[in-house]
Short mmCIF file of all heavy atoms in Angstrom, two decimals:
data_model
loop_
_atom_site.label_atom_id
_atom_site.label_comp_id
_atom_site.label_asym_id
_atom_site.label_seq_id
_atom_site.Cartn_x
_atom_site.Cartn_y
_atom_site.Cartn_z
N LYS A 382 -18.31 -6.90 -23.24
CA LYS A 382 -17.60 -5.98 -22.36
C LYS A 382 -16.84 -5.00 -23.21
O LYS A 382 -16.12 -5.41 -24.13
CB LYS A 382 -16.67 -6.73 -21.46
CG LYS A 382 -17.39 -7.58 -20.39
CD LYS A 382 -16.63 -7.66 -19.14
CE LYS A 382 -17.53 -8.18 -18.00
NZ LYS A 382 -16.85 -8.24 -16.69
N VAL A 383 -16.97 -3.72 -22.95
CA VAL A 383 -16.23 -2.72 -23.70
C VAL A 383 -15.50 -1.80 -22.75
O VAL A 383 -15.84 -1.66 -21.61
CB VAL A 383 -17.19 -1.84 -24.57
CG1 VAL A 383 -17.94 -2.72 -25.59
CG2 VAL A 383 -18.14 -1.06 -23.69
N SER A 384 -14.39 -1.23 -23.25
CA SER A 384 -13.61 -0.31 -22.42
C SER A 384 -14.37 1.00 -22.26
O SER A 384 -14.85 1.54 -23.24
CB SER A 384 -12.25 0.00 -23.13
OG SER A 384 -11.54 -1.25 -23.28
N ASN A 385 -14.50 1.41 -21.04
CA ASN A 385 -15.22 2.63 -20.77
C ASN A 385 -14.37 3.79 -21.13
O ASN A 385 -13.39 4.14 -20.47
CB ASN A 385 -15.60 2.69 -19.27
CG ASN A 385 -16.43 3.84 -18.96
OD1 ASN A 385 -16.52 4.82 -19.72
ND2 ASN A 385 -17.13 3.80 -17.77
N HIS A 386 -14.77 4.48 -22.20
CA HIS A 386 -14.00 5.59 -22.73
C HIS A 386 -14.29 6.90 -21.98
O HIS A 386 -13.76 7.93 -22.37
CB HIS A 386 -14.11 5.73 -24.21
CG HIS A 386 -13.35 4.73 -24.98
ND1 HIS A 386 -13.51 3.42 -24.86
CD2 HIS A 386 -12.33 4.88 -25.88
CE1 HIS A 386 -12.67 2.78 -25.64
NE2 HIS A 386 -11.94 3.65 -26.26
N HIS A 387 -15.06 6.80 -20.93
CA HIS A 387 -15.28 7.96 -20.09
C HIS A 387 -14.10 7.98 -19.13
O HIS A 387 -14.25 7.55 -17.96
CB HIS A 387 -16.63 7.89 -19.37
CG HIS A 387 -16.89 9.07 -18.49
ND1 HIS A 387 -17.89 9.12 -17.60
CD2 HIS A 387 -16.24 10.29 -18.40
CE1 HIS A 387 -17.88 10.29 -16.95
NE2 HIS A 387 -16.88 11.00 -17.43
N VAL A 388 -12.98 8.41 -19.57
CA VAL A 388 -11.77 8.44 -18.79
C VAL A 388 -11.92 9.49 -17.67
O VAL A 388 -12.19 10.62 -17.89
CB VAL A 388 -10.57 8.86 -19.68
CG1 VAL A 388 -9.29 8.93 -18.88
CG2 VAL A 388 -10.41 7.83 -20.82
N ARG A 389 -11.76 9.00 -16.40
CA ARG A 389 -12.01 9.86 -15.25
C ARG A 389 -11.38 9.26 -13.99
O ARG A 389 -10.71 8.26 -14.06
CB ARG A 389 -13.49 10.04 -15.08
CG ARG A 389 -14.17 8.70 -14.82
CD ARG A 389 -15.70 8.81 -14.60
NE ARG A 389 -16.29 7.52 -14.87
CZ ARG A 389 -17.50 7.16 -14.51
NH1 ARG A 389 -18.26 8.00 -13.84
NH2 ARG A 389 -18.00 5.96 -14.78
N SER A 390 -11.71 9.88 -12.89
CA SER A 390 -11.26 9.37 -11.60
C SER A 390 -11.90 7.98 -11.32
O SER A 390 -13.09 7.90 -11.38
CB SER A 390 -11.64 10.29 -10.43
OG SER A 390 -11.54 9.61 -9.24
N PRO A 391 -11.10 7.00 -11.00
CA PRO A 391 -11.64 5.66 -10.75
C PRO A 391 -12.55 5.68 -9.48
O PRO A 391 -13.39 4.76 -9.33
CB PRO A 391 -10.42 4.80 -10.48
CG PRO A 391 -9.26 5.56 -11.02
CD PRO A 391 -9.64 7.02 -10.91
N LEU A 392 -12.40 6.70 -8.67
CA LEU A 392 -13.21 6.74 -7.46
C LEU A 392 -14.67 7.01 -7.80
O LEU A 392 -15.54 6.89 -6.99
CB LEU A 392 -12.69 7.81 -6.49
CG LEU A 392 -11.26 7.54 -6.01
CD1 LEU A 392 -10.85 8.54 -4.96
CD2 LEU A 392 -11.14 6.11 -5.46
N LEU A 393 -14.92 7.40 -9.06
CA LEU A 393 -16.28 7.64 -9.48
C LEU A 393 -16.81 6.34 -10.06
O LEU A 393 -17.98 6.30 -10.59
CB LEU A 393 -16.36 8.77 -10.51
CG LEU A 393 -15.85 10.12 -9.96
CD1 LEU A 393 -15.74 11.15 -11.09
CD2 LEU A 393 -16.76 10.63 -8.86
N ASN A 394 -16.05 5.30 -10.02
CA ASN A 394 -16.44 4.07 -10.72
C ASN A 394 -15.72 2.88 -10.08
O ASN A 394 -15.16 2.03 -10.79
CB ASN A 394 -16.04 4.24 -12.20
CG ASN A 394 -16.48 3.04 -13.03
OD1 ASN A 394 -17.42 2.33 -12.64
ND2 ASN A 394 -15.79 2.82 -14.13
N VAL A 395 -15.77 2.80 -8.75
CA VAL A 395 -14.94 1.83 -8.01
C VAL A 395 -15.29 0.36 -8.39
O VAL A 395 -14.40 -0.45 -8.54
CB VAL A 395 -15.07 2.06 -6.49
CG1 VAL A 395 -14.46 0.89 -5.75
CG2 VAL A 395 -14.42 3.37 -6.08
N ALA A 396 -16.52 0.11 -8.62
CA ALA A 396 -16.91 -1.27 -8.88
C ALA A 396 -16.15 -1.83 -10.07
O ALA A 396 -15.43 -2.88 -9.98
CB ALA A 396 -18.43 -1.39 -9.12
#
Side-chain angles (χ1 to χ4, degrees):
Chain A
K382 292 212 164 182
V383 300
S384 300
N385 185 342
H386 283 59
H387 181 193
V388 177
R389 59 178 159 164
S390 166
L392 298 185
L393 299 172
N394 184 23
V395 169

